Amino acid sequence: MKLFDEAMIMQDEIIRLRRDFHRHPELGFEEVRTAGIVAQQLTALGMEVKTGIAETGVIGIIRGKSDAPVLLLRFDMDALPILEETGAPYASETPGKMHACGHDSHVAVGLSVAKLLAAHKEDLAGTIKFVFQPAEEGGGGAERMVEAGVLDNPKVDYSMGMHVWNDKPVGWFGLNPGPSMAGGHIFSIKLTGKGAHGASPHQGIDPIMAATQIISSLQTITSRNINPLESAVVSVCTVNAGSAFNIIPQEAVLTGTIRTFKPEVFEKVQTRFYEIVENVATAMGCQSEISLTRMTYPVINDPELVSLMTDVVKELVADAKIDAAIQTMGSEDFSFMMQDVPGCFLMVGSANKERGLDYGHHHPKFDIDEASLAPAVAILAEGAIRILESHPNSK
Ligand code: NI
């Protein structure tokens, strides 16, 4: 039987798994129940299983006819601190926590790919390392797993990951043979002035004034400093200051994110960021303290892997719509696992507008059309077999 048909037979089981994870969402580094189920299922498939990597991460290794090459398949497990409003029968049973990005689907897909490939061990011309990762949502789970040696023992030659994509309908697949998701940085700015009575501003130094000037001026980086044909985002997303209507506070704190694709564009943004914050703060009489740290690298797909996966999608899904130009300023920490090896991040259209399943990621009503899942399982399993077989980039 063809792998695709086998995956379609598993459809009910895939959906049951996904709904179980959906009912029981766990935040980053707290994925104890999820990781427990993952470890138990991978062990039952006869894999070498390691648990507790970067807190709750799980690795399962399956060896085929030969040891090399080694393909890493990564699936993220964490949920978000959101109160679910879908009203679905399988909605979150933990108020304030929700699988609003679709990582529940990723775990279900990953376990199903593992089951499918374990039954086809004889077709594997190498080793597959299944990686179930904690804390993708800004928690740095992928980086922690890489630090814990997930790319070694055995050494990984290729990495592949996936994400359900609710901006696009079922049948759509995003496979860009180059930069597809931006690299992200997180910043925090602490402005210190001098507290005073609200009626006596001349006796204080107002950090709120400095904050507002800085927020406005930062927007000139993308509009005045970066080449309009390049991509960059600077967003201030939190503003915190003050405790009462008649007190000029001592401090104001801003946090936000910077997104870029190219290192040289980031360098330019970073230089202007420091110049603006430090000098505007000084001009307003405040002291400034800046923290700017990398959250993710950009996701830059390997053209050979993308070409192989594009063939797989075309063969398996009759009327697949393949988008080779997809790009988003959203970011993915899977980029840490494809920094040193060729990688491919597959985006799987999961929306169904007619059924109201088209809310965006991180929305309290986010839900997907589960018809997207079984084909994704087939594509990843078939792709894995072919990557090991053809060993791209090795000549
Ligand atoms: Ni996500």
Side-chain angles (χ1 to χ4, degrees):
M1 200 191 298
K2 283 191 174 150
L3 223 48
F4 186 83
D5 299 327
E6 288 180 51
M8 291 313 288
I9 289 171
M10 291 167 71
Q11 176 147 328
D12 288 349
E13 189 189 336
I14 301 168
I15 292 173
R16 188 187 54 72
L17 264 175
R18 181 260 162 168
R19 292 185 177 188
D20 177 61
F21 293 127
H22 195 87
R23 273 194 195 96
H24 303 285
E26 296 172 299
L27 301 182
F29 298 122
E30 294 172 2
E31 306 93 333
V32 175
R33 179 184 184 275
T34 309
I37 295 171
V38 168
Q40 180 242 320
Q41 293 215 3
L42 297 182
T43 306
L45 293 171
M47 293 194 187
E48 297 164 37
V49 176
K50 288 179 209 161
T51 59
I53 300 164
E55 313 284 343
T56 47
V58 182
I59 295 178
I61 293 173
I62 175 169
R63 294 176 204 274
K65 288 179 289 194
S66 59
D67 285 346
V70 179
L71 167 66
L72 180 154
L73 291 180
R74 174 278 210 168
F75 305 92
D76 45 6
M77 304 189 288
D78 56 325
L80 288 156
I82 294 177
L83 182 63
E84 178 158 355
E85 292 176 15
T86 62
Y90 46 85
S92 167
E93 291 175 10
T94 312
K97 295 181 189 176
M98 175 190 178
H99 269 294
C101 196
H103 301 184
D104 50 343
S105 317
H106 303 169
V107 183
V109 166
L111 288 175
S112 306
V113 173
K115 189 173 178 188
L116 202 50
L117 288 178
H120 286 270
K121 250 170 123 166
E122 71 282 0
D123 295 332
L124 293 177
T127 297
I128 297 187
K129 191 185 270 189
F130 286 89
V131 171
F132 290 84
Q133 179 208 306
E136 193 282 327
E137 300 287 359
E143 189 176 14
R144 291 269 307 270
M145 282 198 96
V146 170
E147 281 165 7
V150 78
L151 297 175
D152 305 312
N153 296 321
K155 196 170 162 19
V156 169
D157 299 296
Y158 307 100
S159 284
M160 186 149 64
M162 60 93 59
H163 210 299
V164 291
W165 209 246
N166 241 29
D167 293 353
K168 299 288 181 183
V170 176
W172 175 97
F173 296 89
L175 276 167
N176 180 333
S180 64
M181 299 183 80
H185 285 77
I186 305 172
F187 65 76
S188 158
I189 302 166
K190 186 167 133 188
L191 300 161
T192 308
K194 187 178 163 211
H197 195 294
S200 309
H202 59 290
Q203 291 174 352
I205 300 169
D206 188 353
I208 292 179
M209 284 311 298
T212 57
Q213 304 280 340
I214 287 169
I215 293 168
S216 304
S217 304
L218 284 177
Q219 294 313 308
T220 63
I221 299 177
T222 50
S223 66
R224 302 291 95 177
N225 302 136
I226 299 300
N227 181 333
L229 298 174
E230 299 286 0
S231 311
V233 171
V234 179
S235 291
V236 176
C237 298
T238 71
V239 181
N240 281 293
S243 57
F245 78 96
N246 56 356
I247 302 169
I248 290 171
Q250 188 89 2
E251 242 176 56
V253 177
L254 311 175
T255 68
T257 186
I258 293 171
R259 303 294 168 100
T260 50
F261 277 101
K262 297 180 182 168
E264 63 270 27
V265 173
F266 173 70
E267 292 303 323
K268 179 84 182 172
V269 173
Q270 177 174 245
T271 304
R272 289 297 295 145
F273 184 89
Y274 275 89
E275 284 171 356
I276 288 170
V277 174
E278 288 170 353
N279 291 309
V280 173
T282 304
M284 304 300 293
C286 287
Q287 283 175 333
S288 58
E289 235 174 87
I290 300 170
S291 133
L292 178 56
T293 53
R294 177 183 294 284
M295 181 171 67
T296 63
Y297 290 99
V299 170
I300 301 174
N301 289 324
D302 177 73
E304 280 200 50
L305 286 188
V306 166
S307 144
L308 182 151
M309 289 305 293
T310 302
D311 289 345
V312 169
V313 174
K314 276 186 191 158
E315 279 175 45
L316 294 191
V317 183
D319 40 11
K321 191 183 175 319
I322 296 171
D323 186 346
I326 178 74
Q327 275 195 325
T328 160
M329 299 311 283
S331 71
E332 240 301 333
D333 74 357
F334 173 65
S335 54
F336 280 95
M337 299 194 189
M338 61 194 295
Q339 261 301 99
D340 299 325
V341 295
C344 174
F345 195 64
L346 169 72
M347 292 149 122
V348 179
S350 54
N352 183 330
K353 203 168 180 209
E354 290 71 46
R355 293 177 52 203
L357 301 171
D358 61 343
Y359 285 94
H361 294 261
H362 298 204
H363 190 284
K365 289 187 176 169
F366 172 87
D367 198 0
I368 61 154
D369 185 341
E370 293 161 324
S372 58
L373 302 180
V377 169
I379 290 163
L380 289 174
E382 182 71 35
I385 290 174
R386 290 203 205 169
I387 288 169
L388 293 184
E389 217 167 60
S390 64
H391 209 339
N393 296 308
S394 60
K395 285 122 213 159

